[in-house]
Structure formats: structure tokens, C-alpha cells
């Protein structure tokens, strides 16, 4: 920690951190390092064997004597044997696009500060909206539009703020105490966090429609409904109620009601965001299933001004004619921050280089592999699939060996033990959740490099350790 | 827009978006593209000649027949003749670090999900805290600590939420209507935006101390004071009042009061964040002056639990023994989102590869060049420096040619014209602000590649166009 001085280069006069020749050499070396890393990716444990007590901050280790292509303490998210959480996918096109974006390094807070950055983002979000078959109202040409943000949490927070503003404008600021938003008990935890940040009160009703009607009768003001297509825990899909007709004063920004096959096509207009991991190419986080790498999250809205008027700023030093013309998009008014990275380039390159057919085949391949895993689980009488598989996540466990609460408790312990054994082997990484009170192993298929042989080998590992886990858990 | 189908690769079976050989070839090509881009960087206009009406979305152009190293419509932030806004700096170490981070692609929401990512971030933020001489209380070993976020806005919002929670816990939820936060009229616009998002009411008092005492007497609850060291408009430094002693029930999270030479060393503990562009190496946005490229923004707090308890989530599927041990840092509880990019690697590589002496010399060199520009302005009787230069920003204008309001209006028009002429030449890019009602040209020195010759040439350009701008503005 105190060794920074040792790294000073002797002559500050010669310090040129963007020297082209230096960059060329260092960047080519970095690429070779990455190629070596990927060549050996399956030969190292997916999860490190670190104890929390071993921390670089508290006990620094000596510098490595030779290059290490598997930095210690890394969980290898790109390892094809990674089946934990939801995998984050990546591609050559995205890596190159992102490198190029880093090298150009524009800070595209408004249109003028780098017009091409904004234009490319608008174009790419329109492409993706068409690919996932969003209603036309979400395209720029129809008054809607899309923006890239770092995380879904930020996107949700922005729409919450827009929805709150809209409701309070109708109800007056006295309504501030009566605002209420709705989500299910399986909604991602980040929604509750966004509500906390925006100081909104969130309900988790059993019946959305009944709750909203009762709340409206009691004088509360519904602001937002968060429906999830593909929850994090088990990829469940929220039932979307037929949308009630609200008196204008309390309508939570609802514009229309339609359905598509896989996702609600409408919602409170400022709140429409595709959360979770929806099927086919309904996808809002390209950094999960669409090969872009972190971070890249889409938000589309139907009605641009509803979002931008609640987030706009207009300091003197950013005033300019393009903004005043009203003809351009200033993305700083679509997000929490002002500055922003050129995230669109990697998404553009992924879509432009690979094309829709390959992207679809990639996602279908993951779903097919997950289906194969589900079938193998179902064929072994010791195991059961706990909730129906949707998309590419299988939630399964070893069955209880006897009925009743004691049997369930034993099964929980045995499954916990099984997951530990499997993960500690270093050969695969999977995680758990709890559904309806029972402990369940989550097996999420979908790193870029995962093939059928990895899925089969993972299943063999679970099978092989099953009986021993029962014994050990007793 | 509808041409995606044309890009489908024929055989989906052969689709392997992370093939090592493909990546190696494409990445090396990308690096050569970047080297060519940098070689020619001074030969192209800094700002594009685009009109807002020309939009790729509304009128797509045909694909380019040959490679273009200067994509149209880009504002070139890395061009050494860029003196607009605040420049964003970059380096070879950061580019390589970021590329490596993209290739590893960990989603380090909590410690367990990739221990090395969290450890490296904690280590690097401790390094940087020492480098900018933050009080020891901000180091991890003392109960404080740092985190990297994408933008200052998000960091400010997180601390606002923490401060609000702290005050409401003491005052009870009935206090929610009485919360008040303070900033100056030069505070970055993003602070007002963060207040809007958190639903807090912001005041801009002339005298902070008097306002806070009066408000406390009136039953209001001060939550947050936002002091800026180096405002965006003119790099002004807020006066920091000697901190009043508040009765415990209304104290806005204040822990101690000290000063360092350049910045207030303390502040409401959950609110301590170094905003703006402070002098020497006091710096909180490494993506501005510390060569890391976008996005990379530091937040340090004195008291970790005050921040994390207001932002924590604990869904079942992320529960793990490392978190339960209480020994590790889960960065998801330090930020708005859950997932996060491996930003620490590029900051680590910048600090590790270059060392403190080079980083200091880089910043001092920018300040020296700005001082040189200021001296040239002062030596020309047609011009004046409007506010004293601090750091690396010179705010100047052509002097009015006669006294009174009319003279000021003429000068505003002439300076506006001068800035337009200079910027439209394509040779440099600078922007404006308004200080005390007068139009001022902002000249911010500090792209990575800017040398003294660029600053001198820029000044010659302003001089050469000065008289013609007066004539044209009449």
C-alpha cells in the first residue's frame, strides 16, 4: 500500500501516457494476455478458494514473480462452467466496440458534446426495439425512444421519479403522502431500493387489481406498477392484470392495455421497462443475454417528455443552439448522471456484426441446453424440478426422503450440502434460492462459451455427489 | 434501419462470438485503427459541422466504401485542441486495464461474486485517498472506505439518501416535511437533480451558517451541505463555514471540523465527497484529470454503515457466508445498482504503472499551461481575465469598449461571436458560461495530449479573430 513511490518513472518531463507506440505495444500485449486467459479458461477453478479473512487490504502479498493468466481471487464469469446467478455474456464485437469507445472517450451528456454518439445510440435502441417487437410507440419516430444506462436499477429509478412527478402534477403536492407503488414479492430487490431512494412506499399485493381499487377508494394515489417477465429467483412471469380504467385524477400514467405473447406490451407509460430475463429476444439488459459485456441496460419510454422533464437540467455552461432547436436528444435528461460513457458502440457492433439470426440462435441454444438439463433432472427419481423451467434457468433439488416438515428440513440441508460440494470442487459454479420456503439449486445456462458437453458434465457432477451429500447432511 | 437481416451470417451453428482467433484478429485490427486515429487526430476538426436536423435516425446514409478513421459527427474529446467543458483524460494503462476488465467481465455486486474485484477496488481507493491526503478516517482500516461509481451524480444521490435516513431516524418520520439541504448557486446542476430524485428541498443561502441557524430555529431539519471545491462554471471554491454545534437531534451528520489547505477535510460524514476539480491531486473523478477514461468516479465515506444500511438489499439468491461473516465489503450496498463493471482495474493500472510523481507532474503541467494562457490574456489590453484562475480553467472575455449596460451588452454579443468564429474554424473547441450576468469564454486546459504549443496556437486564434468579431457583432 505504501509502495507507490517505488513506481515513479524517473523523468516526469518524458511522461506521455498516450504515446502511440507505447499504446500499440501494451495493447497488443494485453490482447495476447486475454487470448492466453481464454485458452486456459476451463483448466482453473470457476470460483476461488478464498476465505473472507484473507484480504489484500489487510495483508498484502508480494508481487508475482512471473505473469499469471489466472489472477487469484477471481470468480471466472466467462468460464463455460459458470451456471450461477444469471451469466453475463460477451463477444469479440463487443470487446472491440468497447475498446474503440474507450479510445474515443467522448463525454456525450448532450447532443452537441458528440452528435454521433447520441445518434448511434438512438439508432441502435430503435433497432433493438424492433428486434424484440416492442410496440411502435417506443420508437423515436413515434415520440418514444430508448436510452442506454449502466444498470436496470437506475432505469427503474428514473421512471419512478417521472411517474411520481406526473401523479403529483395532477394531484397537487399534498398528494405526496398518499403515493403508492406496486410490485410482487418476487420483484428484484433493486425495485425496493429504488423506492427507498425516491422515498416511495411499495406494496406487494396478492391481487394487484383488487389492491389498486381498494387503495384508490381509500384516497391513495397509485404511481407505478412493476411487472416482471422472468424474475431473478426463478424466472417466474408476473400475471399482468387487465388494466382497470382509472378516473383521470388517479390514473397511474396508464396509456393503453395490450398483451403480446411473452410480455405485457403496455404499462404505465413512463414506467414501461422490460425487467428480468424475458423469453426469445425480449431482453432489456444486453449485458446479460445479448453479448455486450458490462455495462449495458436499455430503457424505452413511450412519451419522451414525461421522462425528460423530470430529469432535465439546464446550466448556463451547457446551453447551446442544438438543444434550443428542440430537434435533438440530450441524453443527460434521460438518466441520473450528466456524463456518460459511449455504451452504444458495443451494442451497435454486436447487432451490426452478428445480425438478428445469430443473436436469436444464441439465445435459443441456451434455452435448448437448459431444457436438456431439465429433462436429465426429471429422469432421475432422486431429483425434482421445483418450478417449471422458463427461458434458461432450471430450479431443482434432491427430493425429500420422507414427508412432512422434518423431511423438508433434511432435504434443505442435503441440497445445501450438495451445492457446497459441487461448488467447492471448483469444476462448476451454481447458486441457490428459496421458493415457497424450500431450498432450491438454481442452474442458469448461458455464458458465451457454454456448450452441451459442459451442461452434461455439470449434471454428472450433481448426480455423482448426490448420495454423499445426503449422508454428510445427516 | 431495416437492414439487419442482410447481416445474418449463413450458418447459425457456426456462431461462436468469443472465438479466440477471431477475437485476436479483430482486436489487433481495432488497435491499429485506434493508432491511426491518434496519428491523425490533429488534422481533423475538433467539432463536427453537423446541423441538428441531420440525424442518422431520420435520414440514414449509405455505408462507407472505405475505412474512415474519423467517424463523421464525432466531437473529438481526445484532440489536444479540445478546451471545452472539462476535458476527460485517458492513458494507455487505462485503455489496457479497461480492455482487460471487459474481457474478464465479472459482475461484482458482492464480495463473493468475484473477491479480487472488490479487494482491488478497496485497495486502490485507499491508495488514492492517501494520495489526495484525505484524513485517515476515510481509509478502510479506520472504518471508512471508498467506492467507484459511474458518475458523481449517483454518488451524491447515495449520500443524500444516507443523510436523509440518518436524520429521519433521529427525528421520526414526521420530520419528512421539514428536511432541507444546502448548496451554493454555483453548485453543479446535478445536485439539484439528485435532490429532485430523492424528493428533497434544496436551498442556496448567501450565508450558510446564518441560514442553517435560522432554519433550525424554525424547526427545519438540515440534512446535507454540498460544498464544492472547483465549480464547473468557473472552478470557484465554496467558503466552508466553521461548523456550528448543533443539538444532537438536528445535527446534519456532522462528525468533526477541520480544514486542509485546499479542501474541507470534513463535512457531514455521510455527505463527504470531493466535488468539482480541486487543486493538486485532490480529485474525485479520475475520468476527468487522472487519466482513466470514462467512467470512473470516487466516493469516500467516513462511516461505512451509514451509507450501506440505507442502500442494502438482502435477497435470498445473494445470501452467502462471506456476507454473513461481516468481514467483507459488498459494493452493491454502496451504490444505486446491483451489478457493476470492474472499474477498479483501470484506476489500479494507472496508479501502478505511472506512480504518483508522474500523475502529479501531469496535473501540474496542465495548471502551468493554464497559467501561461492567463498571462497571455492579461497582457493583451483588449481582453480581461474575468475571475481569478484556479487550477486549469481560464474564464476570460474581450473587454467592453464603453461603460454601462449597453457596453456590457455589446461585449456579450462580441464575445459570443468570437467563440462561434473560433469554434466554427474547427481548429479548437472552447465553451462559455455566464458569471455575474456577463458572458464569459471558458478555456479549460487538460486533454492528455495538450502541449504548450496547442495553448499558444489557441490564444493566437482568439487574438486574430477578436477585432473581426467586434465588427461582426455590431
Amino acid at each position: 500500500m505504501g509502495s507507490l513511490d517505488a513506481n515513479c518513472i524517473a523523468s516526469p518531463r518524458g511522461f506521455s501516457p498516450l504515446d502511440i507506440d507505447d499504446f500499440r505495444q501494451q495493447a497488443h500485449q494485453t490482447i495476447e494476455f486475454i487470448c492466453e486467459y481464454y485458452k486456459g479458461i476451463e483448466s482453473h477453478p470457476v470460483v476461488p478458494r478464498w476465505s473472507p479473512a484473507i484480504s489484500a487490504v489487510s495483508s498484502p502479498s508480494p508481487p508475482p514473480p512471473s505473469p499469471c493468466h489466472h489472477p487469484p481471487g477471481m470468480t471466472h464469469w466467462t468460464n463455460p462452467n459458470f451456471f450461477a446467478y444469471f451469466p453475463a455474456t460477451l463477444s469479440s464485437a463487443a470487446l472491440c466496440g468497447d475498446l474503440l469507445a474507450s479510445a474515443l472517450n467522448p463525454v456525450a451528456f448532450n447532443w452537441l458534446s458528440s452528435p454521433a454518439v447520441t445518434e448511434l445510440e438512438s439508432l441502435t435502441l430503435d433497432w433493438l426495439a424492433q428486434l424484440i417487437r416492442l410496440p411502435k410507440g417506443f420508437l423515436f419516430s413515434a415520440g418514444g425512444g430508448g436510452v442506454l444506462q449502466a444498470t436496470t436499477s437506475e432505469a427503474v429509478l428514473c421512471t419512478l421519479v417521472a411517474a411520481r412527478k406526473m401523479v403529483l402534477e395532477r394531484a397537487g403536492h399534498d398528494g405526496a403522502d398518499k403515493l403508492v407503488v406496486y410490485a410482487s414479492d418476487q420483484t428484484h430487490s433493486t425495485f425496493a431500493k429504488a423506492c427507498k431512494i425516491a422515498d416511495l412506499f411499495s406494496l406487494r399485493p396478492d391481487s394487484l387489481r383488487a389492491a389498486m381499487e381498494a387503495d384508490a377508494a381509500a384516497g391513495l394515489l397509485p404511481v407505478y406498477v412493476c411487472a416482471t417477465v422472468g424474475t431473478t429467483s426463478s424466472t417466474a412471469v408476473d400475471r399482468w392484470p387487465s388494466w382497470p380504467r382509472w378516473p383521470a385524477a388517479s390514473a397511474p400514467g396508464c396509456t393503453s392495455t395490450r398483451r403480446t405473447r411473452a410480455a405485457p406490451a403496455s404499462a404505465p407509460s413512463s414506467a414501461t421497462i422490460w425487467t428480468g430475463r424475458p423469453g426469445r429476444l425480449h431482453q432489456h439488459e444486453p449485458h446479460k443475454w445479448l453479448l455486450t459485456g458490462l455495462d449495458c441496460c436499455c430503457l424505452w419510454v413511450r412519451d419522451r417528455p414525461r421522462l425528460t422533464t423530470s430529469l432535465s437540467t439546464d446550466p448556463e455552461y451547457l446551453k447551446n443552439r442544438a438543444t434550443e432547436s428542440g430537434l435533438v436528444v440530450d441524453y443527460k435528461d434521460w438518466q441520473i448522471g450528466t456524463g456518460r460513457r459511449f455504451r452504444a458502440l458495443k451494442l451497435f457492433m454486436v447487432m451490426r456484426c452478428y445480425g438478428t439470426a445469430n443473436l436469436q440462435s444464441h439465445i435459443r441454444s441456451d434455452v435448448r441446453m437448459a431444457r436438456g438439463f431439465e429433462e436429465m433432472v426429471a429422469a432421475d427419481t432422486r431429483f425434482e424440478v421445483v418450478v417449471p423451467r422458463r427461458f434458461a434457468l432450471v430450479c431443482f433439488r434432491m427430493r425429500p426422503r420422507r414427508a412432512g416438515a422434518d423431511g423438508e428440513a433434511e432435504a434443505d440441508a442435503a441440497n445445501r450440502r450438495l451445492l457446497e460440494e459441487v461448488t467447492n470442487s471448483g469444476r462448476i459454479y451454481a447458486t441457490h434460492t428459496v421458493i415457497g420456503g424450500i431450498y432450491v439449486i438454481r442452474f442458469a445456462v448461458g455464458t458465451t462459451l457454454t456448450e452441451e458437453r459442459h451442461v452434461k458434465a455439470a449434471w454428472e457432477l450433481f448426480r455423482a455427489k448426490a448420495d454423499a451429500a445426503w449422508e454428510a447432511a445427516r
Side-chain angles (χ1 to χ4, degrees), chain A:
Chain A
M1 266 215 317
S3 64
L4 263 182
D5 286 342
N7 304 312
C8 294
I9 295 168
S11 162
R13 280 175 62 199
F15 181 52
S16 46
L18 255 183
D19 179 84
I20 295 176
D21 293 329
D22 286 350
F23 166 70
R24 175 180 277 123
Q25 189 198 342
Q26 289 157 15
H28 286 312
Q29 277 175 3
T30 304
I31 286 167
E32 291 306 316
F33 181 98
I34 292 169
C35 292
E36 287 304 310
Y37 171 78
Y38 274 106
K39 260 188 205 161
I41 197 154
E42 291 188 51
S43 62
H44 290 261
V46 191
V47 206
R49 285 181 182 275
W50 258 25
S51 121
I54 301 170
S55 147
V57 172
S58 57
S59 54
S61 59
S66 57
C68 168
H69 289 102
H70 281 265
M74 285 295 294
T75 299
H76 298 286
W77 280 68
T78 55
N79 187 314
N81 296 306
F82 181 102
F83 300 101
Y85 312 112
F86 285 123
T89 57
L90 194 60
S91 62
S92 181
L95 282 166
C96 294
D98 208 34
L99 174 58
L100 197 51
S102 294
L104 295 168
N105 205 31
V107 189
F109 35 79
N110 59 14
W111 185 89
L112 182 69
S113 67
S114 209
V117 174
T118 295
E119 294 293 341
L120 195 77
E121 184 161 332
S122 302
L123 173 78
T124 308
L125 273 281
D126 263 8
W127 276 359
L128 192 52
Q130 292 170 74
L131 185 56
I132 66 175
R133 299 189 196 164
L134 289 191
K136 285 213 164 46
F138 289 93
L139 299 181
F140 275 94
S141 52
V147 62
L148 290 176
Q149 304 206 354
T151 64
T152 300
S153 321
E154 289 155 54
V156 168
L157 179 56
C158 289
T159 58
L160 269 176
V161 170
R164 180 180 65 196
K165 177 169 187 282
M166 205 166 62
V167 170
L168 286 180
E169 273 171 5
R170 283 194 298 248
H173 204 78
D174 291 348
D177 293 342
K178 298 169 193 143
L179 304 179
V180 62
V181 302
Y182 302 89
S184 90
D185 63 349
Q186 292 298 303
T187 301
H188 194 280
S189 57
T190 208
F191 181 71
K193 187 166 168 178
C195 290
K196 259 200 286 194
I197 292 171
D199 206 16
L200 285 165
F201 185 59
S202 170
L203 294 177
R204 296 173 165 188
D206 288 331
S207 161
L208 177 63
R209 186 174 181 146
M212 290 178 77
E213 284 170 349
D215 290 344
L220 295 179
L221 298 172
V223 172
Y224 198 103
V225 177
C226 183
T228 306
V229 180
T231 60
T232 305
S233 184
S234 66
T235 61
V237 172
D238 282 347
R239 275 163 306 171
W240 192 250
S242 63
W243 201 262
R245 292 193 174 276
W246 297 93
S250 63
C254 168
T255 51
S256 71
T257 309
R258 277 185 299 163
R259 290 163 186 263
T260 63
R261 254 173 308 172
S266 78
S269 63
S270 62
T272 298
I273 169 165
W274 267 246
T275 52
R277 293 175 68 74
R280 305 195 61 207
L281 266 181
H282 295 259
Q283 175 63 18
H284 85 291
E285 276 187 327
H287 66 222
K288 286 221 179 92
W289 225 352
L290 217 61
L291 303 173
T292 65
L294 249 67
D295 40 23
C296 189
C297 166
C298 303
L299 165 67
W300 287 275
V301 293
R302 265 179 195 282
D303 185 342
R304 293 201 291 273
R306 284 198 182 163
L307 182 68
T308 56
T309 55
S310 61
L311 295 169
S312 66
T313 56
D314 188 27
E316 180 61 38
Y317 48 82
L318 296 185
K319 286 189 199 296
N320 67 85
R321 287 185 182 172
T323 296
E324 285 152 19
S325 77
L327 295 172
V328 300
V329 167
D330 290 334
Y331 273 126
K332 73 178 173 58
D333 298 337
W334 297 57
Q335 62 176 23
I336 295 167
T338 303
R340 58 205 316 272
R341 194 176 152 78
F342 190 3
R343 291 192 187 92
L345 190 49
K346 61 182 176 180
L347 179 57
F348 172 83
M349 282 182 62
V350 164
M351 295 190 71
R352 193 77 185 75
C353 294
Y354 300 141
T356 55
N358 279 307
L359 297 176
Q360 285 168 330
S361 83
H362 162 69
I363 287 185
R364 285 183 187 133
S365 158
D366 286 349
V367 174
R368 193 168 50 242
M369 287 190 282
R371 191 187 306 127
F373 187 87
E374 180 189 32
E375 286 164 5
M376 291 187 289
V377 172
D380 187 321
T381 53
R382 292 174 300 171
F383 288 85
E384 67 180 348
V385 176
V386 177
V387 290
R389 178 199 55 79
R390 285 174 186 272
F391 318 125
L393 174 69
V394 182
C395 294
F396 74 103
R397 67 164 178 168
M398 296 187 292
R399 291 180 194 274
R401 294 193 173 178
R402 51 184 177 131
D406 288 350
E408 286 295 336
E410 281 170 13
D412 279 6
N415 280 288
R416 193 182 295 270
R417 183 68 188 226
L418 174 61
L419 185 58
E420 274 173 18
E421 294 279 327
V422 163
T423 299
N424 287 343
S425 76
R427 288 166 57 193
I428 74 162
Y429 187 24
T431 49
H432 83 285
T433 190
V434 169
I435 301 174
I438 65 175
Y439 184 94
V440 172
I441 299 172
R442 284 174 86 264
F443 188 81
V445 178
T447 82
T448 315
L449 298 170
T450 302
E451 298 171 21
E452 218 164 299
R453 62 187 172 95
H454 301 109
V455 173
K456 280 186 178 154
W459 171 241
E460 288 308 321
L461 189 60
F462 279 112
R463 275 173 58 117
K465 294 200 181 275
D467 291 335
W470 265 109
E471 293 311 314
R474 275 181 199 279

